[in-house]
Amino acid sequence: MFDLGGAMRGTVHVTGTHHLRHWDQFTAVRACLGPVNAFKETAPAEVLPRLARSRTGYRGSLTLYRDTPADRPQASVYPMESAAGHEPSPRTAATLTAVLRACAEHVEQHPDFPQILTASRERDTPALLRFLTWSADYHRGAAARLEEQARASRPALRAAVAAWWTVARWLTAHPSPVLLLMLANRDGSLAREVDVQAWLGPYCLTEAAGEHARAHSAETEAASLRAQQRPHCTNRHRQTVTPAVTQLESA
């Protein structure tokens, strides 16, 4: 927790968190405006940080992460807003972002940062496992529905092609503007139905493959988190380290 001084008054809550794209890798740090983790609970308006000469408190967070240990840190900013739900001015938003980044970078350089990340992983793993299990089931279900659509498109395509040729034979025997419109490639025509069904099957299979990949990714990350919970992966006697309250002068 950081007590702010200088350009801002209030507190910033900082915690370890998972990488934005790899939920099983706790390598990032998140800073939230206020005394609580904004992703778990909402801080009351009266305790939100505010500019030194303003009565307006602000909510928001920033996550600092790297794709590899050698990469420059990247920041992902959750939308900033006032306690009343209004977007801050560009200048205020820049100040809030700078304060959050400074707090996150300070914790990232803390000598006990690896222990902080480990404690965060142990704290968040149960909820993450529930979410990843739900996610895998959801994507498997979506894949099954798409594959069923792809299977259904095959007889629908055959029926549409057969209907087109039937009308084509009618047109040959009895030329008619109505029959011609049924064969033309336009909305509601048989030709458009053939095109749609010919496109639908491959599209659904491609989307289903993507859903299977997302389900597999969720299952892999859940397995990784479970493995990290096992005794040989953790020190059961590790103590949770909480950084001391630090005075931060805002730029």
Side-chain angles (χ1 to χ4, degrees):
M1 196 82 70
F2 290 85
D3 285 326
L4 304 176
M8 291 195 70
R9 296 288 187 269
T11 58
V12 169
H13 181 277
V14 183
T15 183
T17 189
H18 57 80
H19 189 285
L20 292 183
R21 291 184 293 275
H22 306 287
W23 291 48
D24 60 324
Q25 298 177 19
F26 274 73
T27 56
V29 60
R30 182 167 60 232
C32 302
L33 292 169
V36 299
N37 185 344
F39 277 67
K40 294 184 178 295
E41 54 185 311
T42 301
E46 61 270 15
V47 299
L48 293 175
R50 58 203 66 215
L51 298 179
R53 298 179 182 178
S54 172
R55 296 182 179 180
T56 302
Y58 290 95
R59 294 188 175 94
S61 68
L62 176 145
T63 301
L64 202 63
Y65 67 99
R66 303 169 189 263
D67 285 328
T68 68
D71 282 348
R72 291 175 59 86
Q74 302 178 56
S76 175
V77 180
Y78 193 77
M80 306 287 183
E81 65 176 17
S82 70
H86 302 305
E87 184 178 350
S89 69
R91 183 175 179 177
T92 298
T95 300
L96 297 173
T97 300
V99 168
L100 289 176
R101 181 159 192 149
C103 293
E105 289 177 343
H106 180 87
V107 170
E108 193 178 42
Q109 299 303 316
H110 198 281
D112 292 323
F113 186 52
Q115 289 89 341
I116 293 170
L117 291 177
T118 298
S120 299
R121 174 179 55 76
E122 292 174 346
R123 178 196 64 218
D124 292 348
T125 288
L128 284 175
L129 286 175
R130 289 192 295 271
F131 170 76
L132 291 170
T133 299
W134 170 87
S135 180
D137 290 343
Y138 173 84
H139 290 300
R140 293 289 184 209
R145 290 189 292 273
L146 287 163
E147 288 166 345
E148 178 58 32
Q149 279 187 276
R151 286 190 293 271
S153 73
R154 296 169 194 157
L157 175 60
R158 290 194 295 269
V161 170
W164 191 94
W165 280 108
T166 297
V167 173
R169 286 192 292 271
W170 292 348
L171 180 64
T172 301
H174 305 286
S176 164
V178 174
L179 296 177
L180 187 61
L181 288 174
M182 292 175 66
L183 297 177
N185 192 356
R186 56 187 294 276
D187 289 345
S189 71
L190 289 173
R192 183 59 59 85
E193 179 65 12
V194 170
D195 284 348
V196 168
Q197 295 301 332
W199 164 84
L200 184 60
Y203 168 80
C204 287
L205 290 176
T206 298
E207 291 297 303
E211 294 291 349
H212 278 302
R214 285 183 278 275
H216 177 70
S217 177
E219 291 167 346
T220 300
E221 291 179 338
S224 173
L225 284 171
R226 292 190 186 97
Q228 293 176 67
Q229 285 184 306
R230 294 171 188 157
H232 71 272
C233 294
T234 61
N235 179 357
R236 289 184 173 182
H237 302 292
R238 183 191 302 110
Q239 295 182 348
T240 300
V241 178
T242 303
V245 174
T246 303
Q247 189 79 10
L248 182 72
E249 291 294 331
S250 303

